[in-house]
Amino acid sequence: MLTAYGRCLSTVAINVYDETTPLEQHTWMTAALSAFESTVKQDNFPCLFAKKSVNNESVEIVFVSEQYASTDLIAGLSRYIEHTSSWTLKQRIGKPLVIFFEKNNFPSLAEEQAYAWHLLQQLHDEDTSPWPDAVATDLHSEQWSFCFKGMPLFINMSFPSHRLMKSRNLGPHIVFVINPRENFDHVAAGDSISGQRIRARIRARAEAYNEGALSLSLGVFGEPGSLEFKQYQLEEPGSLTHAQCPFHMNLKHSTKANTP
């Protein structure tokens, strides 16, 4: 019997696996995907790009099992990056990767976030590709971005226990929404008027969606004081703090000797 775990599937392709995926898997996956889609399709959901991708059924999806979480995550993201090599930049923008994690029996928001960072660390530690020369290796550099298989990525971490940052709650499971860093540089570059307008519009929508709450961690890539890891996981009461990032760079595969 086939499993959908660790596979990078289009929304349309998921239907093919419905008849061959074990029932216990199918139940949580269906619930997670349904909650995500219904949340993003709300008229007031902040991210206009996510809304468009969901409505167009162009989202790429990976399901990660509780038992083999690291293996499934590595396999799914690796396949997504392989897919991107055949897509134009315009296609990439419309095809974000959404990763759903089966494990959801956490006692707190902080525990959910610790689990997410733990898996991101394993992803990094198992990456055999050199760190890109153009990307800083210092987490506290404005030029740092998470990279996998040589591709800089932006990782939006969403958690079921978010209450204040409701825009980072996409249903009953932990969800990563991943885009190549290049996507943001193209549609919302910090030094362009159009980019500034897009960011301002989305963040105004996020503030309204979150009933007046807006994360102070949100910034612009490359600008002084704007750190990427703080934007991956947002803070609110009961969350992990940004005082010390739980992620650690492992440079054993990197060809870079110094931090830019």
Side-chain angles (χ1 to χ4, degrees):
M1 185 174 288
L2 293 175
T3 176
Y5 290 151
R7 298 175 181 266
C8 185
L9 304 167
S10 67
T11 304
V12 175
I14 287 175
N15 294 327
V16 176
Y17 282 90
D18 282 352
E19 297 179 357
T20 57
T21 298
L23 181 60
E24 64 274 16
Q25 293 180 24
H26 185 268
T27 300
W28 85 261
M29 291 188 297
T30 300
L33 180 58
S34 177
F36 165 76
E37 291 181 336
S38 63
T39 298
V40 174
K41 285 181 177 180
Q42 293 178 86
D43 291 340
N44 63 338
F45 188 77
C47 185
L48 302 173
F49 296 105
K51 288 172 67 67
K52 184 176 181 179
S53 296
V54 169
N55 288 330
N56 290 343
E57 295 189 334
S58 59
V59 174
E60 299 286 306
I61 294 170
V62 169
F63 294 107
V64 172
S65 68
E66 179 173 351
Q67 185 175 7
Y68 302 108
S70 178
T71 300
D72 293 340
L73 179 59
I74 291 170
L77 183 55
S78 296
R79 189 57 178 159
Y80 174 75
I81 291 175
E82 290 176 13
H83 287 173
T84 63
S85 64
S86 64
W87 298 339
T88 64
L89 177 57
K90 183 177 181 179
Q91 288 175 317
R92 283 188 187 184
I93 293 170
K95 290 178 173 289
L97 176 64
V98 179
I99 302 179
F100 298 97
F101 296 87
E102 180 181 17
K103 183 174 173 63
N104 70 342
N105 57 341
F106 299 94
S108 67
L109 173 59
E111 291 290 333
E112 291 173 349
Q113 293 170 333
Y115 178 75
W117 282 112
H118 171 69
L119 289 178
L120 200 66
Q121 186 70 55
Q122 289 188 310
L123 190 66
H124 172 65
D125 291 345
E126 294 298 323
D127 186 11
T128 58
S129 299
W131 195 258
D133 289 335
V135 181
T137 57
D138 181 359
L139 285 164
H140 292 86
S141 167
E142 293 85 353
Q143 301 299 322
W144 179 87
S145 177
F146 184 83
C147 299
F148 186 68
K149 299 290 185 183
M151 176 176 282
L153 303 167
F154 184 87
I155 302 175
N156 174 313
M157 297 179 175
S158 293
F159 301 97
S161 294
H162 265 309
R163 295 295 177 264
L164 193 62
M165 295 291 121
K166 295 193 298 182
S167 56
R168 289 294 184 97
N169 184 331
L170 299 177
H173 291 264
I174 296 173
V175 179
F176 285 1
V177 181
I178 299 180
N179 281 277
R181 174 76 250 169
E182 184 183 22
N183 291 9
F184 292 92
D185 297 337
H186 180 74
V187 302
D191 57 356
S192 70
I193 297 299
S194 61
Q196 293 169 19
R197 287 174 177 169
I198 290 171
R199 284 197 311 278
R201 183 182 180 191
I202 291 177
R203 288 177 183 176
R205 289 172 60 89
E207 185 174 9
Y209 187 84
N210 295 337
E211 300 178 351
L214 183 64
S215 174
L216 298 178
S217 299
L218 297 175
V220 180
F221 183 75
E223 289 192 353
S226 179
L227 302 181
E228 286 288 271
F229 78 84
K230 292 185 177 182
Q231 301 185 67
Y232 292 179
Q233 173 242 296
L234 301 186
E235 285 187 345
E236 69 173 59
S239 74
L240 295 182
T241 70
H242 292 147
Q244 183 175 1
C245 180
F247 179 81
H248 301 283
M249 287 293 296
N250 180 348
L251 301 180
K252 67 175 182 289
H253 301 304
S254 178
T255 59
K256 301 175 68 171
N258 299 301
T259 299

